[in-house]
Amino acid sequence: MMTPHCPKCGSPNVISRNLGRKVGGGTGAAAGAASGAVGALSGAKAGALVGAMVGPAGITIGGLSGAVFGGLLGGTTLGVAGAKLGHELDQKMLDNYACCACDCTFRPHAE
């Protein structure tokens, strides 16, 4: 892909703002953390059940590890999905590029 040039002043000194990806990733991670709390609860139950075969210490360790895994999985999954959606918004709908010379913002041209 060629480096974009500012449509206003023609400068090649252009940066990607990636606002959609940043907001989408943050929102997805927050939503994932909330759903991860539910996943943590079910993960804790599953971990405690598996750990029960070892004994009381296994219940505690299994419950904690299941809760951590459930929470991380939810937060990561939706965070990545949100970032991918935000990337698509950056490319197709938002003025993702900013000219460092004249502060013009613009969207990439469709190829």
Side-chain angles (χ1 to χ4, degrees):
M1 183 173 146
M2 289 181 33
T3 304
H5 287 67
C6 176
K8 186 175 176 185
C9 73
S11 172
N13 194 8
V14 173
I15 60 169
S16 295
R17 299 177 342 146
N18 298 322
L19 295 176
R21 187 176 62 180
K22 291 174 188 172
V23 171
T27 304
S35 73
V38 174
L41 181 59
S42 64
K45 287 179 183 177
L49 184 63
V50 171
M53 291 185 252
V54 178
I59 293 172
T60 303
I61 293 170
L64 286 174
S65 61
V68 168
F69 182 72
L72 288 175
L73 187 63
T76 303
T77 302
L78 288 181
V80 169
K84 286 184 179 183
L85 176 62
H87 175 74
E88 290 300 314
L89 288 173
D90 282 337
Q91 297 304 309
K92 295 185 170 88
M93 297 184 74
L94 301 176
D95 290 342
N96 191 41
Y97 292 109
C99 177
C100 295
C102 71
D103 293 328
C104 173
T105 58
F106 58 99
R107 106 178 35 120
H109 296 292
E111 313 251 342

